[in-house]
Amino acid sequence: MRHNPISPTIDFDKDGIQHGYLRLPHSRDDSAWGAVMIPVTQFKNGEGPTALMTGGNHGDEYEGPIALYNFASRTDIDNFHGRVIVIPAMNFPAFQAATRTSPVDQLNLNRIFPGRPDGSLSQVIADYFSRTLVPMADYVLDIHSGGKTLDFVPFAASHILDNKEQQSACEAAAKAFGAPHYLQMLEIDAAGLYDTMVEEAGKVFVTTELGGGGTSTPYTVEIARRGVDNFLIHAGILNADPTMPKHDSVSLDMPDFRSFIFSEHAGLVEPCVALGDVIREGDLVARIHSIERTSPEPPAEYRAPREGMVICRHVPSLIKIGDCLNVIAEVL
Ligand SMILES: [Zn+2]
């Protein structure tokens, strides 16, 4: 297969702290021989496992980038044993544009793995992760939040895998992240996800959803900050900080697709439950008002298809047909 055109400006084999770029040639109107420069930091101190930590897979999710730009500024290399590769904004063009998908090729990075070296910009980034970065890693953490159209209770998650030993290792790492909730997550469609590629490569993989709405809060940023440290301590790469408080996560499961509620109406959402509420099957979760006219007709009612915790809600308040309205997870 063709060589990937990305060249790193750091040396992945070298000890110490290095700040640099993944340099991806991008010839365009305002820069004939220009490049997309994706920031990367590496901490390496002797032998040990490698962790790869990313944010900004989607460009409008902020807890990951904030936690990882902060993490990248550390100078205490003596506390590391092994190697940590930090990429705060994986899909850098989307992050710069504050959009979920890339403004260059309109692709959703997290739907096109394993990517291709001779494809468009996002496909080349995906290929570089698939064939260069992920093979170097033992532990992989990808920090997501809801972005501009979803909002979540903060959780770290792992998936059901064919390899049960790998599944337990992923679950243990996700619980060690220490978010308020741990979720055994069911994906609407796992094809093309970074998650799926990393798991198929046999790595210990953790994903998160830490909030959303296209912004962040001190509460969710702190969860990400602690989670990054906890993940590396669990991997045996970072020395534990004995002053750090321990948090137990509430365990959640999505046993089947009844967890998802999709809107079959367009209009104005009147929420009847809040994120974190534990509800019963049949409870009213939302009413959707048609906005074109007032009428004696009642709004469309959406009821809970299962009991459990409301872990996701649609934002903003106007919704389209087909949008995800809520997600309800079983509390274990
Ligand atoms: Zn995301």
Side-chain angles (χ1 to χ4, degrees):
M1 198 183 268
R2 189 192 141 141
H3 188 69
N4 188 290
I6 291 179
S7 51
T9 66
I10 64 170
D11 178 352
F12 291 116
D13 296 325
K14 199 171 123 189
D15 268 349
I17 302 172
Q18 299 175 76
H19 298 279
Y21 296 97
L22 307 176
R23 189 183 160 281
L24 167 52
H26 180 39
S27 178
R28 55 196 196 269
D29 281 340
D30 70 334
S31 186
W33 287 6
V36 170
M37 304 289 274
I38 304 170
V40 58
T41 295
Q42 177 175 275
F43 299 84
K44 185 172 182 302
N45 189 23
E47 296 306 307
T50 293
L52 172 61
M53 306 199 297
T54 47
N57 184 335
H58 294 125
D60 60 349
E61 303 173 3
Y62 296 103
E63 283 79 1
I66 293 168
L68 295 179
Y69 278 110
N70 273 322
F71 187 88
S73 71
R74 290 180 75 135
T75 54
D76 56 333
I77 190 69
D78 289 344
N79 282 322
F80 290 73
H81 309 279
R83 180 167 61 172
V84 182
I85 300 166
V86 183
I87 300 172
M90 207 173 164
N91 190 347
F92 197 69
F95 182 64
Q96 279 180 302
T99 52
R100 179 172 178 82
T101 59
S102 175
V104 181
D105 54 20
Q106 281 69 52
L107 289 177
N108 179 341
L109 179 61
N110 210 28
R111 296 293 183 277
I112 57 168
F113 279 88
R116 46 188 303 168
D118 57 353
S120 64
L121 213 68
S122 304
Q123 290 170 321
V124 172
I125 294 171
D127 178 70
Y128 190 74
F129 274 84
S130 299
R131 290 195 297 143
T132 301
L133 293 175
V134 169
M136 299 191 322
D138 305 289
Y139 292 85
V140 180
L141 171 65
D142 190 31
I143 305 175
H144 287 255
S145 303
K148 288 176 178 166
T149 67
L150 294 173
D151 192 15
F152 288 91
V153 299
F155 64 78
S158 61
H159 300 105
I160 292 180
L161 303 175
D162 291 338
N163 180 335
K164 293 304 166 194
E165 201 178 319
Q166 183 190 10
Q167 179 181 320
S168 321
C170 295
E171 182 176 333
K175 286 178 173 168
F177 183 90
H181 305 87
Y182 159 75
L183 176 66
Q184 181 163 278
M185 194 172 182
L186 180 67
E187 300 289 349
I188 296 172
D189 181 4
L193 295 184
Y194 180 56
D195 313 45
T196 305
M197 181 276 289
V198 176
E199 287 161 354
E200 285 176 354
K203 312 299 180 181
V204 177
F205 178 74
V206 174
T207 187
T208 74
E209 298 290 358
L210 298 180
T215 185
S216 62
T217 66
Y219 171 65
T220 54
V221 165
E222 178 62 14
I223 292 165
R225 191 193 67 75
R226 274 195 285 107
V228 163
D229 283 11
N230 288 338
F231 179 77
L232 294 176
I233 293 164
H234 175 78
I237 298 175
L238 190 66
N239 284 343
D241 173 358
T243 65
M244 199 150 69
K246 274 271 163 238
H247 294 272
D248 281 332
S249 304
V250 174
S251 286
L252 305 167
D253 189 18
M254 294 168 66
D256 56 55
F257 287 100
R258 285 194 310 144
S259 286
F260 296 97
I261 306 174
F262 295 106
S263 178
E264 296 182 5
H265 297 82
L268 173 63
V269 177
E270 175 185 340
C272 304
V273 291
L275 278 183
D277 282 358
V278 175
I279 60 175
R280 285 186 310 237
E281 183 176 341
D283 281 358
L284 186 63
V285 296
R287 310 201 309 161
I288 300 182
H289 297 264
S290 164
I291 60 172
E292 279 75 20
R293 62 187 62 79
T294 58
S295 137
E297 294 296 314
E301 290 190 343
Y302 282 77
R303 292 186 177 275
R306 68 156 11 102
E307 64 169 16
M309 182 184 289
V310 180
I311 63 162
C312 175
R313 70 181 186 117
H314 180 273
V315 285
S317 290
L318 292 184
I319 198 164
K320 301 179 297 302
I321 186 165
D323 287 352
C324 183
L325 174 63
N326 284 111
V327 179
I328 299 169
E330 246 179 39
V331 182
L332 297 177

